[in-house]
Amino acid sequence: MKLLIVGSMAYDTVKTPFGERERVLGGSASYSSLAASFFAPVALMAVVGEDFQDADRKLFGDRGIDCSGLTTVAGGETFHWKGEYGFDLNEAKTLQTDLNVLGTFDPEVPEALCDTPYLFLANLDPKAQMKVLDQMHSPRVVAADTMNYWIENRREDLMDLLPRIHILIINEGETRQLSGEFNLVKAAHRILKWGPKMLIIKRGEYGVLKITQDSIFAAPAYPLESVFDPTGAGDTFAGGFVGYLAQAGDLTPETVRKAIVMGSVMASFNVEAFSLDRLKTLNKEQIEGRYQAFKELTEFS
Amino acid sequence: MKLLIVGSMAYDTVKTPFGERERVLGGSASYSSLAASFFAPVALMAVVGEDFQDADRKLFGDRGIDCSGLTTVAGGETFHWKGEYGFDLNEAKTLQTDLNVLGTFDPEVPEALCDTPYLFLANLDPKAQMKVLDQMHSPRVVAADTMNYWIENRREDLMDLLPRIHILIINEGETRQLSGEFNLVKAAHRILKWGPKMLIIKRGEYGVLKITQDSIFAAPAYPLESVFDPTGAGDTFAGGFVGYLAQAGDLTPETVRKAIVMGSVMASFNVEAFSLDRLKTLNKEQIEGRYQAFKELTEFS
């Protein structure tokens, strides 16, 4: 089934211990829509400036992504993020954030996309996420991501959103921050009371936990020998996860578990190169191969 | 098959956000031998002082553990450790270490134990670990644990030990510290070159990685709602792991994977109470139940 992804498009300036890149394509919508496009038909909604490169636009078209919801602001500049990672690649140090056109992003969902059955609200101001949701005609599945900044500065908007989504995708520290509870299982159960049916907790190199009211699933991250750039790993995971759900068309525990592993597969590829470089050259066979490797990584009798 | 465990016996004074206990039974040999005793016949070697309580001694006897290698130093005091944990239960802050009789522990393996086929050198000065190994008559499987203190202060002794053991059990930070390499997979491969056939990397609440030259296995930790005291979790894991290996009598990948999960099961119980309190009341049925819960936690198709 078709999946609409709303989020940010960015140019990122990134430094890791293994190299650096200036103003390369990034943003939550970029990573997640490209990852999702391997599984389901995807439409993306985001805003860019006049500086947005044709080659970057083409990338999404080449993967069959519906870009009718991609707005270009005349005279505007694309959102720019500058960050740095140390050897502990789990956390980025943000050096600069230029919101540019993202600061005034007021998402108008094209009429043709309002009936899209799967909706992923990638990391974005919860007010903008809500505005998109308000325009949709009862989507079957709504997943949303968020980040520490919104939890701190837009808490009320985020709390308003929670009862209206099925799946909250959030990282470990943010789960604690949002709930005010240190123990992760208790923290998740507290957040589940506020609305979502399912929490997908991202733990970076330690993998992912899925927590519902009555079950827990744990998937490790794939242990890699070379991680070049973790930027977008969480968004890529989310895109693969929601993309697989949209492909399957149901939310059975089996499907959700497979989707989590598929998301982890996509994230494991993404960190092998800067920007979306690895996703650009990826194919179905490589994805299947690593899915099998995940099975071998975790199986016991 | 029979398993000999050599390590420390301690009285621990522990404070966690959930309570505190003064001079309760602890030490690497205590936790690991009690955990192992659920799977295989165990003999333990350690040293205690005259202050060692009969009730604590009885605990091991009651679980059928051969205590012929437990030395009591007349006039001596048992090793005492005092530590504290914050809400992040992954790392203890050591407040006080009184080596007492452990400082001069010079292990003499009783003749009757020299033929024990499985040997676990629990956390202890690598010189003492080596001395034990020297007295054994070609054990079939030798596993060893260590800690940051020995890596920093007894590096050469530890390096001498590595070529003589099959399995090194070590935590994540120590893997990086010993190898001088941040990436965990690379770090493990470097250490494998120094001797052991297999690294078992403990990651606290994130579970365990097994790394050999040509394979990786990842097991999560069981996500618990109440963790009271993480003291001894690593030793309990190691005891359950080596105990299960000794029970199975082989080192096939299937056995090793099961052993890792069994060790994780034992550790997940241990942290539910202070000291060895939870292990004291544990039974086979509860162990089997949580093993099944681990399967449900990780399975996908």
Side-chain angles (χ1 to χ4, degrees):
Chain A
M1 280 187 241
K2 192 163 179 173
L3 165 66
L4 173 61
I5 294 180
V6 189
S8 65
M9 288 280 215
Y11 281 132
D12 289 341
T13 299
V14 180
K15 190 174 171 181
T16 83
F18 313 105
E20 49 191 300
R21 293 291 184 281
E22 216 169 299
R23 294 189 177 267
V24 288
L25 184 61
S28 63
S30 302
Y31 283 107
S32 55
S33 64
L34 214 62
S37 71
F38 285 89
F39 305 100
V42 174
L44 79 79
M45 273 194 70
V47 64
V48 294
E50 249 186 36
D51 57 338
F52 199 68
Q53 302 291 306
D54 284 345
D56 293 330
R57 204 179 295 267
K58 189 171 173 298
L59 176 61
F60 299 100
D62 285 353
R63 288 231 32 99
I65 295 170
D66 171 351
C67 291
S68 60
L70 181 60
T71 307
T72 308
V73 176
E77 253 192 283
T78 303
F79 169 47
H80 173 240
W81 176 79
K82 185 175 176 180
E84 196 175 355
Y85 298 84
F87 277 98
D88 177 358
L89 295 161
N90 278 320
E91 204 155 351
K93 188 174 152 196
T94 292
L95 301 173
Q96 197 179 325
T97 304
D98 307 311
L99 281 181
N100 299 333
V101 297
L102 188 62
T104 52
F105 183 34
D106 189 24
E108 296 273 356
V109 183
E111 186 53 38
L113 295 178
C114 290
D115 284 314
T116 314
Y118 278 71
L119 174 63
F120 175 45
L121 303 165
N123 182 23
L124 201 64
D125 186 333
K127 250 196 178 25
Q129 291 178 317
M130 182 70 98
K131 182 153 186 212
V132 170
L133 190 47
D134 282 338
Q135 296 170 71
M136 300 296 290
H137 306 154
S138 58
R140 284 170 52 130
V141 174
V142 182
D145 197 342
T146 191
M147 72 183 289
N148 49 4
Y149 181 83
W150 309 123
I151 296 172
E152 202 177 322
N153 299 292
R154 297 285 186 279
R155 195 184 171 86
E156 279 187 36
D157 295 329
L158 188 58
M159 291 301 284
D160 287 343
L161 187 71
L162 291 183
R164 299 188 54 194
I165 64 174
H166 305 99
I167 304 170
L168 179 64
I169 301 171
I170 185 168
N171 79 28
E172 193 171 9
E174 291 156 6
T175 306
R176 295 187 164 117
Q177 185 191 2
L178 178 58
S179 65
E181 165 64 49
F182 199 89
N183 179 284
L184 214 53
V185 182
K186 284 186 189 167
H189 283 153
R190 186 170 298 176
I191 296 170
L192 288 173
K193 286 202 184 113
W194 297 336
K197 299 276 165 279
M198 189 189 298
L199 248 72
I200 303 290
I201 302 174
K202 299 177 284 184
R203 309 171 105 186
E205 64 167 315
Y206 300 110
V208 173
L209 280 183
K210 176 197 83 163
I211 303 187
T212 64
Q213 212 136 35
D214 55 12
S215 76
I216 305 189
F217 171 63
Y222 197 78
L224 291 165
E225 277 211 45
S226 16
V227 176
F228 276 90
D229 175 15
T231 309
D235 300 314
T236 307
F237 163 80
F241 169 69
V242 186
Y244 185 85
L245 289 184
Q247 176 189 307
D250 66 67
L251 283 179
T252 63
E254 294 70 37
T255 295
V256 175
R257 285 172 179 231
K258 270 186 140 166
I260 287 168
V261 176
M262 214 51 107
S264 307
V265 163
M266 300 306 285
S268 78
F269 282 117
N270 182 62
V271 300
E272 290 179 350
F274 280 93
S275 185
L276 294 98
D277 290 358
R278 186 64 186 89
L279 296 184
K280 282 181 200 171
T281 63
L282 198 59
N283 63 45
K284 270 291 201 186
E285 204 183 333
Q286 293 167 330
I287 294 171
E288 258 320 304
R290 190 155 294 172
Y291 190 90
Q292 286 308 315
F294 258 89
K295 292 196 74 160
E296 282 155 34
L297 175 69
T298 59
E299 264 173 351
F300 62 92
S301 59
Chain B
M1 278 188 243
K2 192 162 179 172
L3 165 65
L4 173 61
I5 294 180
V6 189
S8 64
M9 287 281 213
Y11 281 133
D12 290 342
T13 299
V14 180
K15 191 174 172 180
T16 83
F18 313 105
E20 49 191 300
R21 293 292 184 279
E22 216 169 296
R23 294 189 177 267
V24 288
L25 184 60
S28 63
S30 303
Y31 284 107
S32 55
S33 63
L34 214 60
S37 71
F38 285 89
F39 305 100
V42 175
L44 77 78
M45 272 194 72
V47 66
V48 294
E50 249 185 34
D51 58 338
F52 198 68
Q53 302 291 306
D54 283 345
D56 292 331
R57 203 179 294 268
K58 189 172 173 297
L59 176 63
F60 300 100
D62 285 351
R63 288 234 28 101
I65 296 169
D66 170 350
C67 291
S68 60
L70 180 60
T71 306
T72 307
V73 177
E77 254 193 282
T78 304
F79 168 48
H80 173 240
W81 176 80
K82 184 175 177 179
E84 196 176 352
Y85 298 83
F87 277 99
D88 177 359
L89 294 162
N90 277 320
E91 204 156 349
K93 189 175 152 198
T94 292
L95 301 173
Q96 197 179 325
T97 304
D98 307 310
L99 280 182
N100 299 333
V101 296
L102 189 63
T104 52
F105 183 33
D106 188 25
E108 295 274 356
V109 184
E111 186 53 37
L113 295 178
C114 289
D115 284 314
T116 314
Y118 280 70
L119 175 64
F120 175 45
L121 303 165
N123 183 22
L124 201 65
D125 185 332
K127 247 194 180 28
Q129 291 178 317
M130 182 70 99
K131 183 153 185 213
V132 170
L133 189 48
D134 282 339
Q135 296 169 71
M136 300 296 290
H137 306 154
S138 58
R140 284 170 54 132
V141 174
V142 181
D145 197 343
T146 192
M147 72 182 289
N148 48 6
Y149 181 84
W150 310 123
I151 297 172
E152 202 178 321
N153 299 292
R154 298 284 186 281
R155 196 185 171 85
E156 279 187 36
D157 295 329
L158 187 58
M159 291 299 285
D160 287 344
L161 187 71
L162 292 182
R164 300 187 53 194
I165 64 173
H166 303 99
I167 304 170
L168 179 63
I169 300 172
I170 186 170
N171 79 29
E172 194 170 11
E174 291 156 6
T175 307
R176 296 185 164 118
Q177 185 190 3
L178 178 58
S179 65
E181 165 64 49
F182 199 89
N183 179 283
L184 214 53
V185 181
K186 284 187 189 164
H189 284 153
R190 186 171 298 175
I191 295 170
L192 288 172
K193 285 201 184 114
W194 297 335
K197 298 277 166 279
M198 188 189 299
L199 247 72
I200 303 291
I201 302 175
K202 298 176 286 185
R203 308 170 108 187
E205 63 167 316
Y206 300 110
V208 173
L209 280 182
K210 176 197 82 164
I211 304 187
T212 64
Q213 211 136 35
D214 55 13
S215 77
I216 305 188
F217 171 63
Y222 196 78
L224 291 166
E225 276 211 46
S226 16
V227 176
F228 275 90
D229 175 15
T231 309
D235 300 313
T236 307
F237 163 81
F241 169 69
V242 187
Y244 185 85
L245 290 184
Q247 177 189 307
D250 67 66
L251 284 179
T252 62
E254 293 71 37
T255 294
V256 175
R257 285 173 178 230
K258 271 187 138 167
I260 288 168
V261 176
M262 214 51 105
S264 306
V265 163
M266 299 307 286
S268 78
F269 282 117
N270 182 61
V271 300
E272 290 180 349
F274 280 91
S275 185
L276 295 98
D277 290 357
R278 186 64 186 89
L279 296 184
K280 282 181 200 171
T281 63
L282 197 60
N283 63 45
K284 269 291 199 186
E285 204 182 334
Q286 293 168 330
I287 294 171
E288 258 322 303
R290 190 155 294 172
Y291 190 90
Q292 286 308 315
F294 258 89
K295 292 197 75 163
E296 282 155 32
L297 175 69
T298 58
E299 264 175 350
F300 62 91
S301 59

